[in-house]
Amino acid sequence: MSAFVRGVGTSHFGKQRDTPPTRLAAIAIREALEDAGITDPSRIEAAFVGTVFGAAGGGIRALHAGGITRVPTLTLESACASGTSAFAEAVHAVRSGRYEVVLCLGVEHMTSQFGGAIHPEQTDPEGRSGLALPALYAMTASRYLAEGAVTHEQLAQVSVKNHANALANPRAQYAGSHSIAEVLSSPMIADPLTLLQCCPISDGAAAAVIAAAPSEGGVEVMSVAEGTGRPWGNGSPHVWGFDLVAETARSAYEQAGLSAADVDVLEVHDAFTIGEIVTTEALGFASVGGGGELVERGVTAKGGAHVVNPSGGLLSRGHPLGATGLAQLAEIVWQLRGQAGDRQVPGATVGLVETMGGGASGVDGNACVVALLQGKGQR
Amino acid sequence: MSAFVRGVGTSHFGKQRDTPPTRLAAIAIREALEDAGITDPSRIEAAFVGTVFGAAGGGIRALHAGGITRVPTLTLESACASGTSAFAEAVHAVRSGRYEVVLCLGVEHMTSQFGGAIHPEQTDPEGRSGLALPALYAMTASRYLAEGAVTHEQLAQVSVKNHANALANPRAQYAGSHSIAEVLSSPMIADPLTLLQCCPISDGAAAAVIAAAPSEGGVEVMSVAEGTGRPWGNGSPHVWGFDLVAETARSAYEQAGLSAADVDVLEVHDAFTIGEIVTTEALGFASVGGGGELVERGVTAKGGAHVVNPSGGLLSRGHPLGATGLAQLAEIVWQLRGQAGDRQVPGATVGLVETMGGGASGVDGNACVVALLQGKGQR
């Protein structure tokens, strides 16, 4: 059976300390319902909520704020991929005939949890070694630099591209016409990753309505795959997370009968610049070590063959963990409907969403979700 | 399509501060796999983990400790019903043909999170009013007492029965031959609920293997229903949680084509004595206000027509939130296979598991899961 994204919605993204997560969720839910043409929230049969740091019951409260009550509700935690995981489960539930119309919600209020960056978990071996997430990504960047697989300038180019894309995204937290030199000379966070190469802390929510029946301009979910990584020290020749993304993507492409060549537009997990580069490789848009050249040649920029993070990505939007995956989904849906305004990728027909969570917890990537979506085409 | 519980396993339950949750999970997973006759953990195709207070990634770490790696993993939070929710999702995933063999895991290490009782969430209206969970249940008990729907002695009888049942359960945290007078004279926690009427804080894990194919002595999942409550102030004539349990149970009975009269043995959410009484009413074993008499008459005791909490329930086992639902499931599976030792309900053929989570978060019950299971019968 098929599943369709009938409507999407998001809050603004940014540091919104005084706006409670319930309010952010209500904004996203209302927009998604409206977008789906649903005036009676009781048409929603079940809800799938992605959130990481919220209090127990926070998902339920967030749904109630959006008028969704008394439906079976799953609250899922898959680290940074929690929102995409909620989407994946919603798709499976609709495809299996369990429900006709469901809501996915991703919400996170980071500023009420963290003064600055996410602090490492003391229960993680990585956390106890001080390997917070910027440090883990920095290790990958250092290796790529040492092996000549990427240059500092190519890393910076990801930031330049994504912040420029965000100039056309009024919901992004940051945007700007940065030069490579500016990116490289911004404050060092975890060598070699500078401030402008790291996604900011953000508060926000995003929602989507998934339905079994197609609709006018509806976007079809061609496939959605989920995976978790192997334990550390698994002998892979690749940097951490690569195998997880590559294997999850392989499954998503296979299920959809599509390949990277078919994908017009992607939203991927650029929590750090090196993340986008490695991810484009793992997704098959470049060979291993070829992701830096890919961004340098403009293949992933507006006007390129495979536009990556037209929204500005996590680098611009920020990373409200549970909301991130559904914010990525919303952008791809807008793109495939030709509704992305000045961010529009002309003629976008096939889109991809990828989110990768973790890299701590003793595992080479806690969770990855890759989804392929298809619109009616505006060619 | 059908789903079968192929194997179950649990850790010991109790305050196990020095035993990390990964170790508890490994014990439960190993026992469940052995019980299912699975020697190669790679036969597990996906995992569903219920946990509430664990760190992000905790579910993944717990699975790795049990030898389950690289499988799609959902970590679910449904308050006290998290483990049962993981079970429900696993059943749906198997029934829909998505997987053949999956693992559910519930795990919680309460003593590393809480010095004493769970402290109220300051983001909850209930929490801000000081309405911790014992106080919420105490309000229900007070109303029942005021209305003459229950007596102090009937409340205490639940504790007497369950602690006596636990004498035959080597994995329970507490057990004892208490008298009604002892229960009533134990320290007051939240008037009228005394210490022996409240479930203790506990650490533990439980696991189950769910499969599409039946097995020798396998237990079939006849139905599993999930629900969430309405917002507070919904005008229900019933005490909080009642409607949620009753509606979820109705759905479970309907799906299974069974009624309360068919159920030989139940594990239900006796976080507090009043909880078991109200739950037996909501599940249809007594009329509203008849639950006290039900326990007084011995209908729910060993030898009664519908044995409730033969394991000793949460009152004896304790309440490691994520693990609770799967510990309940394990008991019912052992009962339906005739493997419950001195706790065995003779001839038990139909069993029921019920878990209710929450009662805070501005909602009349965050989550409820009711499952009906059927064994081959030993009559």
Side-chain angles (χ1 to χ4, degrees), chain B residues 175-205:
Chain B
S177 296
H178 299 299
S179 67
I180 285 179
E182 276 168 15
V183 171
L184 293 178
S185 64
S186 65
M188 186 60 74
I189 299 299
D191 193 357
L193 301 174
T194 56
L195 182 67
L196 286 169
Q197 300 189 56
C198 304
C199 66
I201 290 289
S202 186
D203 305 312

PDB file of all heavy atoms in Angstrom, chain B residues 175-205:
ATOM      1  N   ALA B 175       7.949  -9.268  49.125  1.00  0.00           N
ATOM      2  CA  ALA B 175       6.894 -10.262  49.270  1.00  0.00           C
ATOM      3  C   ALA B 175       6.636 -10.384  50.758  1.00  0.00           C
ATOM      4  O   ALA B 175       7.481  -9.988  51.570  1.00  0.00           O
ATOM      5  CB  ALA B 175       7.337 -11.612  48.696  1.00  0.00           C
ATOM      6  N   GLY B 176       5.483 -10.893  51.114  1.00  0.00           N
ATOM      7  CA  GLY B 176       5.244 -11.046  52.547  1.00  0.00           C
ATOM      8  C   GLY B 176       3.826 -11.472  52.845  1.00  0.00           C
ATOM      9  O   GLY B 176       2.913 -11.248  52.041  1.00  0.00           O
ATOM     10  N   SER B 177       3.655 -12.095  54.007  1.00  0.00           N
ATOM     11  CA  SER B 177       2.313 -12.474  54.485  1.00  0.00           C
ATOM     12  C   SER B 177       1.820 -11.370  55.402  1.00  0.00           C
ATOM     13  O   SER B 177       1.912 -11.473  56.622  1.00  0.00           O
ATOM     14  CB  SER B 177       2.381 -13.790  55.269  1.00  0.00           C
ATOM     15  OG  SER B 177       2.787 -14.824  54.419  1.00  0.00           O
ATOM     16  N   HIS B 178       1.368 -10.293  54.777  1.00  0.00           N
ATOM     17  CA  HIS B 178       0.905  -9.162  55.584  1.00  0.00           C
ATOM     18  C   HIS B 178      -0.558  -9.344  55.964  1.00  0.00           C
ATOM     19  O   HIS B 178      -1.324  -9.943  55.212  1.00  0.00           O
ATOM     20  CB  HIS B 178       1.051  -7.856  54.803  1.00  0.00           C
ATOM     21  CG  HIS B 178       2.462  -7.552  54.418  1.00  0.00           C
ATOM     22  ND1 HIS B 178       3.471  -7.372  55.335  1.00  0.00           N
ATOM     23  CD2 HIS B 178       3.048  -7.408  53.191  1.00  0.00           C
ATOM     24  CE1 HIS B 178       4.606  -7.118  54.705  1.00  0.00           C
ATOM     25  NE2 HIS B 178       4.379  -7.143  53.401  1.00  0.00           N
ATOM     26  N   SER B 179      -0.939  -8.783  57.098  1.00  0.00           N
ATOM     27  CA  SER B 179      -2.357  -8.730  57.443  1.00  0.00           C
ATOM     28  C   SER B 179      -2.913  -7.377  56.987  1.00  0.00           C
ATOM     29  O   SER B 179      -2.156  -6.438  56.715  1.00  0.00           O
ATOM     30  CB  SER B 179      -2.538  -8.862  58.959  1.00  0.00           C
ATOM     31  OG  SER B 179      -1.988  -7.709  59.594  1.00  0.00           O
ATOM     32  N   ILE B 180      -4.218  -7.297  56.917  1.00  0.00           N
ATOM     33  CA  ILE B 180      -4.856  -6.025  56.550  1.00  0.00           C
ATOM     34  C   ILE B 180      -4.451  -4.938  57.549  1.00  0.00           C
ATOM     35  O   ILE B 180      -4.139  -3.803  57.153  1.00  0.00           O
ATOM     36  CB  ILE B 180      -6.394  -6.209  56.494  1.00  0.00           C
ATOM     37  CG1 ILE B 180      -6.730  -6.974  55.200  1.00  0.00           C
ATOM     38  CG2 ILE B 180      -7.121  -4.871  56.539  1.00  0.00           C
ATOM     39  CD1 ILE B 180      -8.197  -7.265  55.003  1.00  0.00           C
ATOM     40  N   ALA B 181      -4.400  -5.294  58.806  1.00  0.00           N
ATOM     41  CA  ALA B 181      -4.022  -4.308  59.833  1.00  0.00           C
ATOM     42  C   ALA B 181      -2.598  -3.796  59.599  1.00  0.00           C
ATOM     43  O   ALA B 181      -2.327  -2.597  59.737  1.00  0.00           O
ATOM     44  CB  ALA B 181      -4.145  -4.929  61.219  1.00  0.00           C
ATOM     45  N   GLU B 182      -1.689  -4.705  59.234  1.00  0.00           N
ATOM     46  CA  GLU B 182      -0.303  -4.286  58.953  1.00  0.00           C
ATOM     47  C   GLU B 182      -0.250  -3.306  57.784  1.00  0.00           C
ATOM     48  O   GLU B 182       0.479  -2.317  57.816  1.00  0.00           O
ATOM     49  CB  GLU B 182       0.563  -5.502  58.609  1.00  0.00           C
ATOM     50  CG  GLU B 182       1.126  -6.242  59.818  1.00  0.00           C
ATOM     51  CD  GLU B 182       1.737  -7.593  59.436  1.00  0.00           C
ATOM     52  OE1 GLU B 182       1.977  -7.826  58.226  1.00  0.00           O
ATOM     53  OE2 GLU B 182       1.946  -8.405  60.346  1.00  0.00           O
ATOM     54  N   VAL B 183      -1.007  -3.624  56.744  1.00  0.00           N
ATOM     55  CA  VAL B 183      -1.006  -2.737  55.568  1.00  0.00           C
ATOM     56  C   VAL B 183      -1.516  -1.358  55.967  1.00  0.00           C
ATOM     57  O   VAL B 183      -0.925  -0.326  55.617  1.00  0.00           O
ATOM     58  CB  VAL B 183      -1.875  -3.339  54.438  1.00  0.00           C
ATOM     59  CG1 VAL B 183      -2.059  -2.333  53.312  1.00  0.00           C
ATOM     60  CG2 VAL B 183      -1.246  -4.628  53.919  1.00  0.00           C
ATOM     61  N   LEU B 184      -2.603  -1.336  56.717  1.00  0.00           N
ATOM     62  CA  LEU B 184      -3.217  -0.047  57.070  1.00  0.00           C
ATOM     63  C   LEU B 184      -2.376   0.738  58.071  1.00  0.00           C
ATOM     64  O   LEU B 184      -2.444   1.969  58.100  1.00  0.00           O
ATOM     65  CB  LEU B 184      -4.635  -0.263  57.617  1.00  0.00           C
ATOM     66  CG  LEU B 184      -5.647  -0.788  56.585  1.00  0.00           C
ATOM     67  CD1 LEU B 184      -7.011  -1.025  57.237  1.00  0.00           C
ATOM     68  CD2 LEU B 184      -5.782   0.190  55.404  1.00  0.00           C
ATOM     69  N   SER B 185      -1.560   0.034  58.842  1.00  0.00           N
ATOM     70  CA  SER B 185      -0.759   0.759  59.838  1.00  0.00           C
ATOM     71  C   SER B 185       0.659   1.040  59.349  1.00  0.00           C
ATOM     72  O   SER B 185       1.475   1.591  60.086  1.00  0.00           O
ATOM     73  CB  SER B 185      -0.722  -0.018  61.159  1.00  0.00           C
ATOM     74  OG  SER B 185      -0.062  -1.257  60.952  1.00  0.00           O
ATOM     75  N   SER B 186       0.969   0.666  58.109  1.00  0.00           N
ATOM     76  CA  SER B 186       2.287   1.036  57.570  1.00  0.00           C
ATOM     77  C   SER B 186       2.293   2.546  57.340  1.00  0.00           C
ATOM     78  O   SER B 186       1.245   3.189  57.309  1.00  0.00           O
ATOM     79  CB  SER B 186       2.582   0.239  56.296  1.00  0.00           C
ATOM     80  OG  SER B 186       1.681   0.570  55.255  1.00  0.00           O
ATOM     81  N   PRO B 187       3.472   3.162  57.221  1.00  0.00           N
ATOM     82  CA  PRO B 187       3.532   4.638  57.172  1.00  0.00           C
ATOM     83  C   PRO B 187       2.635   5.241  56.086  1.00  0.00           C
ATOM     84  O   PRO B 187       2.534   4.699  54.991  1.00  0.00           O
ATOM     85  CB  PRO B 187       5.010   4.908  56.875  1.00  0.00           C
ATOM     86  CG  PRO B 187       5.732   3.701  57.376  1.00  0.00           C
ATOM     87  CD  PRO B 187       4.796   2.546  57.155  1.00  0.00           C
ATOM     88  N   MET B 188       2.011   6.346  56.408  1.00  0.00           N
ATOM     89  CA  MET B 188       1.138   7.023  55.447  1.00  0.00           C
ATOM     90  C   MET B 188       1.995   7.725  54.392  1.00  0.00           C
ATOM     91  O   MET B 188       2.932   8.445  54.715  1.00  0.00           O
ATOM     92  CB  MET B 188       0.268   8.049  56.187  1.00  0.00           C
ATOM     93  CG  MET B 188      -0.784   8.714  55.312  1.00  0.00           C
ATOM     94  SD  MET B 188      -1.938   7.524  54.588  1.00  0.00           S
ATOM     95  CE  MET B 188      -2.931   7.122  56.036  1.00  0.00           C
ATOM     96  N   ILE B 189       1.666   7.487  53.124  1.00  0.00           N
ATOM     97  CA  ILE B 189       2.393   8.151  52.027  1.00  0.00           C
ATOM     98  C   ILE B 189       1.551   9.302  51.477  1.00  0.00           C
ATOM     99  O   ILE B 189       1.988  10.444  51.410  1.00  0.00           O
ATOM    100  CB  ILE B 189       2.735   7.141  50.915  1.00  0.00           C
ATOM    101  CG1 ILE B 189       3.648   6.026  51.462  1.00  0.00           C
ATOM    102  CG2 ILE B 189       3.391   7.846  49.725  1.00  0.00           C
ATOM    103  CD1 ILE B 189       4.988   6.472  51.998  1.00  0.00           C
ATOM    104  N   ALA B 190       0.357   8.989  51.029  1.00  0.00           N
ATOM    105  CA  ALA B 190      -0.569  10.020  50.532  1.00  0.00           C
ATOM    106  C   ALA B 190      -1.948   9.548  50.962  1.00  0.00           C
ATOM    107  O   ALA B 190      -2.477   8.591  50.399  1.00  0.00           O
ATOM    108  CB  ALA B 190      -0.468  10.150  49.012  1.00  0.00           C
ATOM    109  N   ASP B 191      -2.481  10.178  51.973  1.00  0.00           N
ATOM    110  CA  ASP B 191      -3.729   9.746  52.615  1.00  0.00           C
ATOM    111  C   ASP B 191      -4.824   9.487  51.578  1.00  0.00           C
ATOM    112  O   ASP B 191      -5.114  10.370  50.764  1.00  0.00           O
ATOM    113  CB  ASP B 191      -4.164  10.857  53.590  1.00  0.00           C
ATOM    114  CG  ASP B 191      -5.256  10.402  54.555  1.00  0.00           C
ATOM    115  OD1 ASP B 191      -5.723   9.249  54.439  1.00  0.00           O
ATOM    116  OD2 ASP B 191      -5.637  11.212  55.423  1.00  0.00           O
ATOM    117  N   PRO B 192      -5.407   8.305  51.533  1.00  0.00           N
ATOM    118  CA  PRO B 192      -5.371   7.178  52.481  1.00  0.00           C
ATOM    119  C   PRO B 192      -4.367   6.072  52.126  1.00  0.00           C
ATOM    120  O   PRO B 192      -4.472   4.982  52.689  1.00  0.00           O
ATOM    121  CB  PRO B 192      -6.787   6.623  52.344  1.00  0.00           C
ATOM    122  CG  PRO B 192      -7.075   6.773  50.879  1.00  0.00           C
ATOM    123  CD  PRO B 192      -6.387   8.069  50.460  1.00  0.00           C
ATOM    124  N   LEU B 193      -3.448   6.331  51.196  1.00  0.00           N
ATOM    125  CA  LEU B 193      -2.564   5.249  50.738  1.00  0.00           C
ATOM    126  C   LEU B 193      -1.332   5.139  51.637  1.00  0.00           C
ATOM    127  O   LEU B 193      -0.525   6.075  51.723  1.00  0.00           O
ATOM    128  CB  LEU B 193      -2.156   5.477  49.285  1.00  0.00           C
ATOM    129  CG  LEU B 193      -3.316   5.563  48.282  1.00  0.00           C
ATOM    130  CD1 LEU B 193      -2.818   5.947  46.890  1.00  0.00           C
ATOM    131  CD2 LEU B 193      -4.092   4.243  48.226  1.00  0.00           C
ATOM    132  N   THR B 194      -1.195   3.976  52.284  1.00  0.00           N
ATOM    133  CA  THR B 194      -0.047   3.731  53.154  1.00  0.00           C
ATOM    134  C   THR B 194       1.089   3.099  52.345  1.00  0.00           C
ATOM    135  O   THR B 194       0.900   2.711  51.190  1.00  0.00           O
ATOM    136  CB  THR B 194      -0.456   2.796  54.303  1.00  0.00           C
ATOM    137  OG1 THR B 194      -1.012   1.595  53.736  1.00  0.00           O
ATOM    138  CG2 THR B 194      -1.502   3.462  55.202  1.00  0.00           C
ATOM    139  N   LEU B 195       2.250   3.000  52.972  1.00  0.00           N
ATOM    140  CA  LEU B 195       3.448   2.532  52.267  1.00  0.00           C
ATOM    141  C   LEU B 195       3.216   1.209  51.539  1.00  0.00           C
ATOM    142  O   LEU B 195       3.623   1.055  50.379  1.00  0.00           O
ATOM    143  CB  LEU B 195       4.605   2.371  53.270  1.00  0.00           C
ATOM    144  CG  LEU B 195       5.951   1.935  52.665  1.00  0.00           C
ATOM    145  CD1 LEU B 195       6.524   3.017  51.767  1.00  0.00           C
ATOM    146  CD2 LEU B 195       6.954   1.588  53.769  1.00  0.00           C
ATOM    147  N   LEU B 196       2.574   0.266  52.192  1.00  0.00           N
ATOM    148  CA  LEU B 196       2.389  -1.061  51.583  1.00  0.00           C
ATOM    149  C   LEU B 196       1.334  -1.045  50.483  1.00  0.00           C
ATOM    150  O   LEU B 196       1.072  -2.061  49.851  1.00  0.00           O
ATOM    151  CB  LEU B 196       2.050  -2.108  52.653  1.00  0.00           C
ATOM    152  CG  LEU B 196       3.241  -2.533  53.534  1.00  0.00           C
ATOM    153  CD1 LEU B 196       2.767  -3.371  54.724  1.00  0.00           C
ATOM    154  CD2 LEU B 196       4.275  -3.318  52.725  1.00  0.00           C
ATOM    155  N   GLN B 197       0.754   0.119  50.238  1.00  0.00           N
ATOM    156  CA  GLN B 197      -0.211   0.259  49.147  1.00  0.00           C
ATOM    157  C   GLN B 197       0.396   0.981  47.938  1.00  0.00           C
ATOM    158  O   GLN B 197      -0.316   1.312  46.987  1.00  0.00           O
ATOM    159  CB  GLN B 197      -1.451   1.014  49.625  1.00  0.00           C
ATOM    160  CG  GLN B 197      -2.158   0.292  50.772  1.00  0.00           C
ATOM    161  CD  GLN B 197      -3.487   0.937  51.079  1.00  0.00           C
ATOM    162  OE1 GLN B 197      -4.339   1.068  50.213  1.00  0.00           O
ATOM    163  NE2 GLN B 197      -3.661   1.361  52.321  1.00  0.00           N
ATOM    164  N   CYS B 198       1.707   1.235  48.001  1.00  0.00           N
ATOM    165  CA  CYS B 198       2.393   1.965  46.925  1.00  0.00           C
ATOM    166  C   CYS B 198       3.497   1.074  46.356  1.00  0.00           C
ATOM    167  O   CYS B 198       4.230   0.435  47.106  1.00  0.00           O
ATOM    168  CB  CYS B 198       3.045   3.232  47.466  1.00  0.00           C
ATOM    169  SG  CYS B 198       1.896   4.339  48.320  1.00  0.00           S
ATOM    170  N   CYS B 199       3.633   1.072  45.031  1.00  0.00           N
ATOM    171  CA  CYS B 199       4.709   0.274  44.441  1.00  0.00           C
ATOM    172  C   CYS B 199       6.048   0.943  44.728  1.00  0.00           C
ATOM    173  O   CYS B 199       6.148   2.162  44.747  1.00  0.00           O
ATOM    174  CB  CYS B 199       4.504   0.117  42.930  1.00  0.00           C
ATOM    175  SG  CYS B 199       4.631   1.635  41.988  1.00  0.00           S
ATOM    176  N   PRO B 200       7.072   0.138  44.986  1.00  0.00           N
ATOM    177  CA  PRO B 200       8.387   0.718  45.260  1.00  0.00           C
ATOM    178  C   PRO B 200       9.149   1.077  43.989  1.00  0.00           C
ATOM    179  O   PRO B 200       8.858   0.567  42.908  1.00  0.00           O
ATOM    180  CB  PRO B 200       9.105  -0.409  46.007  1.00  0.00           C
ATOM    181  CG  PRO B 200       8.477  -1.662  45.489  1.00  0.00           C
ATOM    182  CD  PRO B 200       7.047  -1.319  45.159  1.00  0.00           C
ATOM    183  N   ILE B 201      10.117   1.975  44.152  1.00  0.00           N
ATOM    184  CA  ILE B 201      11.095   2.278  43.094  1.00  0.00           C
ATOM    185  C   ILE B 201      11.897   1.002  42.841  1.00  0.00           C
ATOM    186  O   ILE B 201      12.245   0.286  43.772  1.00  0.00           O
ATOM    187  CB  ILE B 201      12.016   3.420  43.589  1.00  0.00           C
ATOM    188  CG1 ILE B 201      11.249   4.747  43.661  1.00  0.00           C
ATOM    189  CG2 ILE B 201      13.264   3.557  42.730  1.00  0.00           C
ATOM    190  CD1 ILE B 201      10.902   5.363  42.335  1.00  0.00           C
ATOM    191  N   SER B 202      12.187   0.746  41.572  1.00  0.00           N
ATOM    192  CA  SER B 202      12.864  -0.509  41.246  1.00  0.00           C
ATOM    193  C   SER B 202      13.697  -0.353  39.984  1.00  0.00           C
ATOM    194  O   SER B 202      13.404   0.491  39.140  1.00  0.00           O
ATOM    195  CB  SER B 202      11.802  -1.599  41.030  1.00  0.00           C
ATOM    196  OG  SER B 202      12.388  -2.856  40.851  1.00  0.00           O
ATOM    197  N   ASP B 203      14.736  -1.155  39.879  1.00  0.00           N
ATOM    198  CA  ASP B 203      15.540  -1.235  38.654  1.00  0.00           C
ATOM    199  C   ASP B 203      15.288  -2.596  38.030  1.00  0.00           C
ATOM    200  O   ASP B 203      15.211  -3.599  38.743  1.00  0.00           O
ATOM    201  CB  ASP B 203      17.029  -1.121  38.976  1.00  0.00           C
ATOM    202  CG  ASP B 203      17.349   0.137  39.779  1.00  0.00           C
ATOM    203  OD1 ASP B 203      16.881   1.215  39.366  1.00  0.00           O
ATOM    204  OD2 ASP B 203      18.056   0.026  40.793  1.00  0.00           O
ATOM    205  N   GLY B 204      15.214  -2.634  36.705  1.00  0.00           N
ATOM    206  CA  GLY B 204      15.024  -3.938  36.086  1.00  0.00           C
ATOM    207  C   GLY B 204      14.852  -3.842  34.592  1.00  0.00           C
ATOM    208  O   GLY B 204      14.789  -2.745  34.015  1.00  0.00           O
ATOM    209  N   ALA B 205      14.810  -5.004  33.971  1.00  0.00           N
ATOM    210  CA  ALA B 205      14.623  -5.094  32.526  1.00  0.00           C
ATOM    211  C   ALA B 205      13.801  -6.334  32.220  1.00  0.00           C
ATOM    212  O   ALA B 205      13.802  -7.300  32.993  1.00  0.00           O
ATOM    213  CB  ALA B 205      15.967  -5.171  31.812  1.00  0.00           C
TER     214      ALA B 205
END
